[in-house]
Amino acid sequence: MQSAAIPGREIGVFDSGVGGFTVLRELRELLPQARLRYLADTAYAPYGNLSPEAIRARSFAITAHLLARGAGLVVIACNTATAHAIEALRAHWPGVPFVGTEPGIKPAVAATRNGRIGLLATPATAASPRLRALIERHAQGREVVVQGCPGIVDHIEAGDLDSQALRELVERHCTPLRAVGVDTALLGCTHYPLIERLWQAALGPHVKLLRIETAVARRAVDLWVPAPGSQPALQIETSGDPRALGDWVERVLGWRGPDVHAWQPENAAP
Ligand code: DGL
């Protein structure tokens, strides 16, 4: 059950790193008047290689920080954290509305013509019981080929969106999907739309690629109740190197001079 929205000073958004910017980008478009705080847990990326316990521990530390800073809504802009932590977060903070990010199995079922769907995700998402349950609930007899894609997020975090090595890795992860002839593929990690062209090239022009960030941002818009008098702002924080993240944001997203601060759980201000 989703909690009712509570008025808050800001919307807290987090991901292991830069992937959640694909959700934040949509949120900024839809809610230009909102106060947004984005936390990139860069020092611990990729989450896709962490254990479920470690993913939950990171998600708890980050959520505690976002709430302490006045978040009235928390957007988990990460499929991997959603898969392994959203239930525990909701149980721990029952009064807080959380918006998760999960592959759109239902839209894929509606889109496929041949009944074969591919799902590209991080290794931890691919192995999660929550994803298995989601597929069982919504696949309606369609075949869903789940492909864990180790290595992709590392390239994107490093600012590599187009190297030969990345193309080869994408090619390799798409081979099983091509082998079964999927006509629809889900980008089940928020980093993956940043290299959408590479997935499309590897899968072929006839395969329909589906992404989820717009739906996630719309859900956040539906739930958001701003506190009176809150002013629009964007704060970006990272557990990694703030300057490197600022450069990445400028270069890839074209956002000018973003305000990026260092964050560690122990120095998180109440
Ligand atoms: N962007 C995240 C996701 O949607 C996490 C990727 C990672 O850190 O492995 O799954």
Side-chain angles (χ1 to χ4, degrees):
M1 255 296 276
Q2 175 66 62
S3 305
I6 48 171
R9 289 200 306 270
E10 54 187 46
I11 300 176
V13 182
F14 77 91
D15 178 47
S16 63
V18 297
F21 283 125
T22 57
V23 175
L24 186 70
R25 191 159 57 180
E26 303 281 333
L27 267 176
R28 289 185 84 193
E29 291 252 314
L30 294 173
L31 285 177
Q33 75 284 15
R35 259 185 99 80
L36 298 162
R37 178 178 302 272
Y38 182 91
L39 201 136
D41 199 13
T42 319
Y44 291 83
Y47 279 6
N49 296 351
L50 300 182
S51 68
E53 295 72 29
I55 295 165
R56 271 193 291 280
R58 297 308 304 159
S59 301
F60 267 76
I62 293 165
T63 300
H65 169 62
L66 295 174
L67 294 174
R69 299 309 302 257
L73 172 67
V74 175
V75 179
I76 309 173
C78 174
N79 290 262
T80 312
T82 303
H84 290 286
I86 195 166
E87 278 166 39
L89 293 170
R90 283 183 171 147
H92 191 80
W93 283 287
V96 174
F98 287 92
V99 176
T101 304
E102 294 187 285
I105 307 290
K106 273 203 266 187
V109 164
T112 183
R113 295 279 158 262
N114 70 7
R116 293 194 285 273
I117 297 164
L119 198 170
L120 300 153
T122 68
T125 299
S128 68
R130 192 176 166 96
L131 179 65
R132 213 170 311 131
L134 191 74
I135 293 171
E136 267 167 32
R137 216 166 42 246
H138 297 300
Q140 295 177 28
R142 310 306 197 280
E143 184 181 359
V144 182
V145 181
V146 179
Q147 176 67 30
C149 304
I152 299 285
V153 165
D154 306 75
H155 282 269
I156 297 172
E157 284 293 318
D160 167 18
L161 306 182
D162 201 27
S163 69
Q164 187 56 29
L166 178 58
R167 283 168 186 271
E168 282 166 15
L169 197 54
V170 165
E171 185 68 31
R172 202 153 63 236
H173 292 319
C174 288
T175 303
L177 274 60
R178 277 209 311 267
V180 300
V182 306
D183 69 355
T184 305
L186 288 158
L187 299 181
C189 166
T190 52
H191 282 73
Y192 296 175
L194 293 161
I195 55 161
E196 187 164 358
R197 276 186 317 113
L198 305 198
W199 298 115
Q200 193 73 69
L203 288 168
H206 56 285
V207 173
K208 189 167 177 51
L209 282 188
L210 298 180
R211 39 201 285 186
I212 198 73
E213 317 81 72
T214 310
V216 173
R218 288 215 181 105
R219 178 77 186 132
V221 171
D222 288 346
L223 290 174
W224 177 231
V225 181
S230 70
Q231 297 293 317
L234 172 63
Q235 289 278 332
I236 301 174
E237 296 174 309
T238 176
S239 56
D241 175 358
R243 185 170 313 165
L245 184 62
D247 289 347
W248 191 103
V249 168
E250 268 198 53
R251 193 169 66 77
V252 177
L253 301 175
W255 296 355
R256 306 303 300 273
D259 198 12
V260 184
H261 299 280
W263 172 77
Q264 294 300 331
E266 50 283 6
N267 65 22

